[in-house]
Amino acid sequence: MMHCKIVQIVALIYMASGATAWAQSPKELRTKVGVPVVLVNFLNARPDCSTNPGPVAVPVVSGAPANGVIQMQITVTNVPASSKCPARKIPSTALLYAPNKEFSGADTVQIDVEVGNQKRSLSYRITVQAAGQQL
């Protein structure tokens, strides 16, 4: 099993009511050959300051990478203190991109998240650098 350090990238998915769709420009990420990288960490911190997460939509990979795989991992995210709540740790769902063995170059991923009747599309362009190259 490949071990990787989870970088805490938090994407708070806020969905308002109404039928809308939203897409972002591709987010640029870099990693090295054989090293997974976190795409997004879905977190829903409750306003009551508890450590139990609120409901999180299940993401769907709508544009699979050509040279890697998407992995889902349950992890713990540090939520900083706010004016109302102390700092705490909350379970979250992280999506990681793991490049194919020996692959270097560019790859893309598209992820859709739907809550109710609202859809969000998240796009990523991942550059996998060969051994010896600087990130």
Side-chain angles (χ1 to χ4, degrees), residues 1 3-4 11 15 18 22 25-26 37 46 48 52 56 64 67 84 88-89 98 100 102 104 107 114 122 125 129:
M1 179 176 172
H3 296 282
C4 67
M15 302 291 179
W22 175 83
S25 297
V37 64
R46 290 188 182 264
D48 67 2
N52 294 325
V56 176
N67 298 292
K84 182 180 174 188
R88 61 205 187 279
K89 295 179 186 274
N100 291 338
E102 306 297 322
S104 65
D107 209 350
E114 191 169 339
L122 308 172
R125 179 177 164 80
Q129 296 178 324

Side-chain angles (χ1 to χ4, degrees), residues 47 49 79-88:
C49 304
V79 177
S82 67
S83 60
K84 182 180 174 188
C85 299
R88 61 205 187 279

